[in-house]
Amino acid sequence: MNRRHLIAAALLACAPLAWSQGAWPNRPVKIVVPFAPGGTTDILARAIAPELSKAFGQPFVVENKAGAGGNVGAEQVAKSPNDGYTLFMGTVGTHGINRALYAKLNYEPQKDFAPITLVAGVPNVMVMNADKAAALNINSVPDFIKYAKANPGKLNMASSGNGTSIHLAGELFKSMTGTFMTHIPYRGSGPALLDMVAGNMDVMFDNLPSAMPHIKSGKLKAFAVTSARRSDSLPEVPTVEEAGQLKGFEASSWFGLLAPAGTPADIVNRIQQETAKSLATPAMQERLRGLGAIPGGNTPEEFTRFIDAEHKKWAAVVKASGAKVD
C-alpha cells in the first residue's frame, strides 16, 4: 500500500469520530430533571445548562418530568434515543437509592445509562418551620426528638418524593431515634418547601441548596446537616450525628449528568469536559458554594465507579432503615 493509500485509510478510520464531533449538536439538547422546578436538581440543571449552551452553540433546555421519586423521568431518558440529544440530571435517589427501595423499577440505573460527570454533592439539612418550632419550643435536635417521642404521628415530614435522599434521610432519622412522623411525599423540593414555609408541613430533610434561601430569610430553622462533617456554608449548624448523639448518621445527596446507554463516547467526553471546565470557573464555584454545594466534574469512568459504590452504600442504608416503596 503506497503513502497515498495509507493516508486515505487513516482518514477513513477517523471519519466516524470526526463526523460525530462535527454534526453534534446541530439542534437543541434536552436535560430532563426528574423533579418539579425549585428543588436542588432543578437549580443545578439550570445553572449548568446555559454554560453548555455557550460551549456548544446550541440551546440546552431543561425539562421537568416529575413523579415516583425521580423514576418517571429516569425511565423516559433510559428509553430515549442514544444520540446525545437527551440528557438526564440524575440524583442519589435515581441512581443510588431507588434500586434498593422500590419493589419494581422500569429502568436499570447502571445498565441503562452512560454516566457523564458528577455536577455537585450536597448535604441535606434538617429544617422546621420557624414559627412552628418557636410555638412548640423546639430549638434543637434533642428538643425535636423529645417532642416527637411524646407526640407520635403529630408531626408531618415533607419530602421531594418517595425514595429520594430527602425521604430516606428522614426514615433513617426515625429509625435511629425511635420516633414516628407522618411522611408526606411531594413531586419535588419546590412544592414541598412552599408548604414548609406556609406552615402546612413541620419538618423536612431537604437538600441544602434549595433550603438555603429560606434558612437565610428566617422562614425555616436549621437544626442539623446530615453529612459527616459540618457545611462550610452553615458552619454554626451541627451535624445530626453530633447534635442528636446519633453515631454513624450520614445521608448526603449528589447530582450528575447522564445519557442513555450507548450514547457515543466522544459526545459523552465532550459534555464532561465542558461541564468540568464550567464547574472550575471562579463564578460557578462561588455560586455553588454559596448554595452549600460542592462542585464536581469527574470523568465518566470515575463517575461510573462512584455510582457503583453508592449502590452498595445505599442498599445497606435502606435495609437498616426498613424503608420500602411498592
Side-chain angles (χ1 to χ4, degrees), residues 57-94:
Q58 289 287 347
F60 278 65
V61 182
V62 174
E63 178 182 291
N64 298 89
K65 190 74 174 180
N71 292 337
V72 172
E75 181 183 352
Q76 174 185 307
V77 175
K79 296 177 180 179
S80 295
N82 53 8
D83 54 9
Y85 290 97
T86 302
L87 306 179
F88 185 62
M89 183 60 85
T91 71
V92 64
T94 60

Side-chain angles (χ1 to χ4, degrees), residues 199-233:
N200 298 324
M201 288 288 112
D202 301 313
V203 65
M204 187 173 177
F205 291 77
D206 193 33
N207 302 141
L208 185 52
S210 47
M212 184 71 86
H214 304 293
I215 294 171
K216 289 181 176 179
S217 72
K219 297 291 186 181
L220 297 181
K221 182 176 180 60
F223 290 138
V225 292
T226 64
S227 46
R229 65 177 184 86
R230 296 192 182 201
S231 168
D232 293 339
S233 302

Side-chain angles (χ1 to χ4, degrees), residues 151-173:
N151 299 274
K154 287 190 177 181
L155 294 173
N156 290 324
M157 181 183 78
S159 84
S160 56
N162 285 317
T164 61
S165 69
I166 296 168
H167 169 211
L168 201 59
E171 293 296 337
L172 187 59
F173 182 87

Side-chain angles (χ1 to χ4, degrees), residues 87-88 114-118 256-259 267-269 271-273 275 298-301 303:
L87 306 179
F88 185 62
I116 299 173
T117 190
L118 179 72
L257 284 173
L258 303 100
I267 293 177
V268 168
N269 289 330
I271 297 171
Q272 184 275 327
Q273 290 161 10
T275 303
N298 58 3
T299 66
E301 295 76 19
F303 192 28

Side-chain angles (χ1 to χ4, degrees), residues 252-321:
S252 297
S253 299
W254 55 262
F255 308 83
L257 284 173
L258 303 100
T263 298
D266 62 303
I267 293 177
V268 168
N269 289 330
R270 289 171 66 199
I271 297 171
Q272 184 275 327
Q273 290 161 10
E274 293 299 337
T275 303
K277 192 184 300 182
S278 170
L279 292 172
T281 62
M284 187 65 81
Q285 292 261 326
E286 181 179 356
R287 179 178 181 181
L288 295 188
R289 292 189 188 280
L291 292 169
I294 302 170
N298 58 3
T299 66
E301 295 76 19
E302 290 168 337
F303 192 28
T304 297
R305 291 194 293 271
F306 175 80
I307 291 173
D308 290 344
E310 285 291 284
H311 266 283
K312 295 175 183 176
K313 168 190 168 181
W314 284 101
V317 172
V318 169
K319 184 177 181 180
S321 71

Side-chain angles (χ1 to χ4, degrees), residues 32-33 46 94 107 111 115 136 161 175 262 267 306 315:
V32 175
V33 169
R46 294 182 189 279
T94 60
Y107 68 96
K111 294 180 180 179
L136 297 174
S175 175
I267 293 177
F306 175 80

